[in-house]
Amino acid sequence: SLSEITNYIDWTPFFHAWEMTGSYPKIFNDRDRGEEAKKLFADAQNMLKKIIAGKWLTAKAVMGIFPAFSKNDDILIIDDSATEKVKCVFHSLRQQTKKPTGQYNVALSDFIQPHPDSVGGGEGSGVFSPLSFGEGSGVRPDFLGAFAVSTGFGIEQWIEKFEKDHDDYSSIMIKALADRLAEAFAELLHMKVRTEFWGYSPGENLSPEQLVKEEYRGIRPAPGYPAQPDHTEKKILFDLLEVEKNIGITLTESLAMYPTAAVSGLYFSHPDSHYFGLGKIRKDQVEDYALRKEMKVSEVEKWLGPVLGY
């Protein structure tokens, strides 16, 4: 329910969306912007009440937890109905910056257990050699989660109404609130995954403030963000979860999600998993990545433009 999701809103980015720098609730004491921030927040609370009472927006989510192995820089999702089969592959990219002694260039695949047959493997290739797993092999897989949420269902009619009434303020407000609700829903669902559905942190009892500070085990990186800047990985995630069929979120040609108040990503449970920025990558990794994804190098370069170091 939206009333439950509301408890998990991080309000600081809400003010940033209105070009107000500062963190919540400290912004209310700002000498120059404090009063304006208080009024904006009051207006947001009033609209939020209307959204909940009138059911202006609907929240929908789909998530799954899948057996998985890593193989070099790839993560293989295992078809648990036919345990000798790879269901799909997520492709990660590795940092290539020079690190101090004792620090390592990481990739998201590092947070998933490697299959014993792949340990010490060389460069990536577009073809996977057979891996043995399943009941007779004695090899047990790790797990990877995936999710997609949206709180934007129903928003279009309200945007149209506000714009028809020349009420730009309300139009911007409902968009900003829908975005905050989507992020809050992602936070709430992740908490439920950790404590209930996956249950690897059953005793977790964190406050909303602690959740905002990410004082929990595990991460939920999203395609298009610093650790994996390639939006095309979203297609793999959407196919795996059958997102459009299950909850109606679609991908545009540019791989943006629609409704726009949406969040999708992967769940990693490893105690050492953490967020990181990829930094700039070189051509050798781009060529390897293109081979693994069975894409043209020029196409990969298009999607990875901002992180290319050449």
Side-chain angles (χ1 to χ4, degrees):
S1 68
L2 291 177
S3 56
E4 182 182 11
I5 291 169
T6 300
N7 298 323
Y8 294 83
I9 291 179
D10 176 8
W11 285 103
T12 295
F14 170 80
F15 292 103
H16 294 173
W18 293 87
E19 298 183 355
M20 286 190 183
T21 54
S23 62
Y24 169 85
K26 291 179 182 177
I27 194 169
F28 296 147
N29 299 320
D30 185 277
R31 186 174 61 185
D32 299 320
R33 312 297 293 274
E35 289 307 310
E36 187 182 353
K38 286 177 185 175
K39 181 184 181 304
L40 184 66
F41 187 68
D43 290 345
Q45 297 304 307
N46 287 333
M47 181 174 278
L48 203 49
K49 287 176 185 173
K50 291 177 183 176
I51 289 170
I52 294 168
K55 298 182 179 178
W56 290 8
L57 302 176
T58 301
K60 296 181 184 180
V62 58
M63 53 76 60
I65 302 158
F66 304 92
F69 290 109
S70 65
K71 183 177 183 185
N72 303 326
D73 291 350
D74 288 323
I75 300 170
L76 284 58
I77 302 298
I78 309 308
D79 188 340
D80 49 10
S81 65
T83 52
E84 294 293 328
K85 185 179 173 189
V86 175
K87 192 181 182 88
C88 68
V89 180
F90 288 100
H91 313 83
S92 67
L93 288 157
R94 188 169 295 279
Q95 293 173 311
Q96 293 184 351
T97 52
K98 191 167 178 60
K99 294 289 187 78
T101 304
Q103 294 184 26
Y104 303 95
N105 291 334
V106 296
L108 289 174
S109 60
D110 291 347
F111 306 137
I112 295 292
Q113 173 190 313
H115 188 282
D117 291 357
S118 68
V119 174
E123 73 284 349
S125 70
V127 180
F128 292 104
S129 57
L131 298 178
S132 59
F133 43 83
E135 288 185 13
S137 68
V139 178
R140 295 178 64 91
D142 200 345
F143 291 90
L144 179 74
F147 74 96
V149 308
S150 177
T151 53
F153 296 99
I155 196 172
E156 292 299 336
Q157 62 178 323
W158 293 101
I159 292 173
E160 287 175 16
K161 178 186 182 302
F162 294 138
E163 290 180 353
K164 187 178 179 181
D165 296 341
H166 305 289
D167 186 356
D168 292 341
Y169 181 68
S170 293
S171 179
I172 296 169
M173 179 65 79
I174 195 170
K175 291 175 191 173
L177 288 174
D179 286 342
R180 286 297 89 218
L181 286 165
E183 294 289 350
F185 194 10
E187 194 71 80
L188 169 60
L189 184 61
H190 194 187
M191 185 268 290
K192 288 181 178 290
V193 165
R194 294 190 304 272
T195 59
E196 299 173 36
F197 305 140
W198 194 338
Y200 64 81
S201 294
E204 178 184 301
N205 185 23
L206 301 177
S207 68
E209 291 75 25
Q210 288 174 303
L211 292 176
V212 168
K213 292 176 183 176
E214 297 165 357
E215 295 180 11
Y216 46 75
R217 173 180 153 183
I219 56 173
R220 57 171 190 276
Y225 282 78
Q228 172 46 286
D230 178 12
H231 283 278
T232 67
E233 289 290 291
K234 236 180 260 174
K235 290 194 224 175
I236 302 166
L237 187 154
F238 268 58
D239 287 344
L240 177 64
L241 292 174
E242 297 184 276
V243 174
E244 185 172 356
K245 174 186 168 186
N246 281 316
I247 57 172
I249 303 176
T250 58
L251 291 174
T252 67
E253 194 174 314
S254 61
L255 299 183
M257 290 177 284
Y258 183 84
T260 55
V263 184
S264 64
L266 300 174
Y267 292 132
F268 291 83
S269 67
H270 196 292
D272 294 331
S273 61
H274 58 275
Y275 295 106
F276 58 89
L278 187 64
K280 298 295 184 181
I281 60 175
R282 296 192 298 267
K283 184 123 186 182
D284 59 339
Q285 182 170 193
V286 171
E287 289 172 344
D288 170 76
Y289 187 69
L291 190 62
R292 287 187 281 132
K293 283 181 69 79
E294 298 180 353
M295 291 172 65
K296 292 180 179 178
V297 170
S298 58
E299 182 73 3
V300 168
E301 288 175 331
K302 183 183 85 170
W303 290 102
L304 294 179
V307 298
L308 297 180
Y310 60 91

